[in-house]
Amino acid sequence: MMARPRRRYAIVGTGSRAGMYVDAMLGEHADVALPVAWCDTNDVRMTQYDEKVKAAGHAPAHYDPADLSRMLTEQAVDVLVVTSPDHTHASMVTQALAAGVDVICEKPLTIDAAGLRAIEAAARESSARLILTFNYRYSPRNSALREVIASGAVGRVVSVNFEWMLDTVHGADYFRRWHRDKSHSGGLAVHKAAHHFDLVNWWLDDIPSTVYALGGLHFYGSDGAGHPGGSRPSLARDAAAGDPYGLDMAENDTMRQLFLMAEHADGYHRDRDVFAPGVSIEDTLSVLVGYQSGASMAYSLTAHSPWEGYRVSVNGTRGRAELEVVERSHVAGGAQAARLLGPEGKSGPAELDSVRPKGSRLTVQQHWEAAQEVPISEGVGAHGGGDVLMLREVFRGAGEDPLRRQAGYVDGLRSAAVGVAVNRSLATGTPVRIAPAGLVED
C-alpha cells in the first residue's frame, strides 16, 4: 500500500480552536499533515503555537491576514484551515478557493447574505474542495438519531421540536468574547445554531426553505434581567470574589498564553463582563423553519439556562423519536461557576444530580406500540465524541460512510442561510425565503 502524501497546511486564526487542528497534525495525523504557516493579526498568539510545534522540528512562517494570498503561494499551501472570527470567513475561503487551495472551515461558513453569495460562486468555479467541520454530526447520539430516521421507523417526518439550552457558564461566555458583537459573529443564530440547523438538515436529508423568527437580548447586557444590580466592572477578571460571572484567565494556561499575554498586541479582551454595554446579539431565540418536503421545525435557543443540553422530538407518520441529552445538570453559584469554563468555551464536568443525570437517551415509539430505547455508544472527547471522528475524516478522507457525515460547501451554505434568515426575520418581522442552493432570497 502506498503511503499517503504529507500535505502542507496553513491555519488562519490562531485562537483556542486552532489548537485542535495543531494537536492533530502533531499527533495522530502527523504522517499526512505538516503545519507550514500561521496567519493572524496577533503575532503573540502565532508565537505561542510555534512553541507547540518546536518539539516536532517545525518552524511555521507568520503572516498577516492581509497577506493571505501571498502566504498560499510562498508556502505552497495545499490546505487552509479557517478558524478566524466568523466575519472573516468569506474573505479567507474565497481567496483560498480562487488559488486552488482546499479549505477546512469551522462553522459557520459565513455570517451574511453577501458572504453566502461570494462563497457559493467561488466554490462553484474552483477545482478545490471546501469542507465544513460540523462535528456534532459525528457524535454517536446524533448519528443514532440519523439512523433511526433513515430506517423509516417513524415514517415520513412531518415536524421537529428542537430545544437547545446553554447554561449560565457556557452561554455567558459568548457575551464576553468577540461573539457579543453581531457584526463579527452574526449572533448565536449564526455562530452557535449553525450546528443545530445543520443537524436537522442532515437528520431529515431535507432543504430549508422558509424561516420566521422571534427573539431578543433578555438576560445579559447592561439592561438584562440577569444583571445582579449595582456597578459592574468592564472586565470579568475584575469581578468581586465569588461572582459567578467572573473569569480569571490567569488560572488557565491556554487562556493566559493566547489571550491574556496577547492583549498588548491588538487590544482584544476575551473577558468582557457579560453585563457590560456593547452586546448586540440575542440570548433567546424562537424559530420556525419550513422544509422543501413540507416538514417543519420549531427551534428554540436559551443562552441562560440553569442546565445545559438539548431535546429533540421528531414526529413522523408512523410514530415519534425523542433524543434528550444532558451535558451538565446544574451549576453551583459562586466562584465555582467561573472555574468550570474550558479554554474553548466548553463547560467543565457536570455536578452529580439524581433528578437530571448527565447522559443521553434516545427512544422510539411507533403507533399502537410501547416505547423502545435505542442504545447509544459512548463517545470519547469533545462534542460528544465527535471531534476525534471528524478529524480522522478531515485529514484522511471520509471513505464509505452511509450516514454522509462529512459536510461540503452546500451543507455549509444551507446551515448558515437559516441563521442569516433568522437575523433578517428578526429585523423585518416577516418570513424569509431560502433558495435550494442555500442563498437567502432578497
Side-chain angles (χ1 to χ4, degrees), residues 54-187:
K54 186 182 295 183
H58 306 324
H62 292 194
Y63 288 84
D64 186 91
D67 298 320
L68 180 77
S69 293
R70 181 165 62 85
M71 175 193 74
L72 298 175
T73 300
E74 288 182 352
Q75 301 302 322
V77 174
D78 296 308
V79 186
L80 178 69
V81 179
V82 179
T83 53
S84 52
D86 301 346
H87 71 288
T88 69
H89 286 190
S91 173
M92 304 304 165
V93 169
T94 54
Q95 288 183 71
L97 292 177
V101 174
D102 289 343
V103 180
I104 298 167
C105 186
E106 277 287 307
K107 62 80 193 164
L109 184 56
T110 186
I111 69 167
D112 55 28
L116 291 171
R117 289 192 295 269
I119 292 174
E120 192 274 338
R124 191 163 24 87
E125 295 170 5
S126 178
S127 61
R129 191 177 185 203
L130 170 56
I131 294 174
L132 269 293
T133 54
F134 287 126
N135 43 16
Y136 270 113
R137 290 187 177 196
Y138 295 83
S139 173
R141 60 206 182 205
N142 297 328
S143 294
L145 180 55
R146 161 85 167 180
E147 290 174 328
V148 164
I149 295 171
S151 74
V154 299
R156 177 175 58 84
V157 174
V158 295
S159 69
V160 177
N161 297 306
F162 194 172
E163 182 182 19
W164 198 287
M165 283 72 65
L166 296 168
D167 66 23
T168 45
V169 171
H170 188 184
D173 203 47
Y174 293 105
F175 297 82
R176 295 189 183 102
R177 300 178 280 172
W178 54 263
H179 307 74
R180 72 198 319 260
D181 182 345
K182 201 168 190 176
S183 68
H184 285 180
S185 67

Side-chain angles (χ1 to χ4, degrees), residues 86 89 105-113 115-117 119 132 134 185-199 201 208 211 408-424 432 434 437-440:
D86 301 346
H89 286 190
C105 186
E106 277 287 307
K107 62 80 193 164
L109 184 56
T110 186
I111 69 167
D112 55 28
L116 291 171
R117 289 192 295 269
I119 292 174
L132 269 293
F134 287 126
S185 67
L188 294 181
V190 173
H191 176 81
K192 183 62 180 174
H195 268 316
H196 315 153
F197 299 142
D198 174 71
L199 279 175
N201 296 346
V211 174
Y409 81 90
V410 174
D411 300 305
L413 289 171
R414 289 172 177 164
S415 169
V418 178
V420 172
V422 166
N423 286 334
R424 183 172 293 181
V432 177
I434 299 175
L439 302 180
V440 176

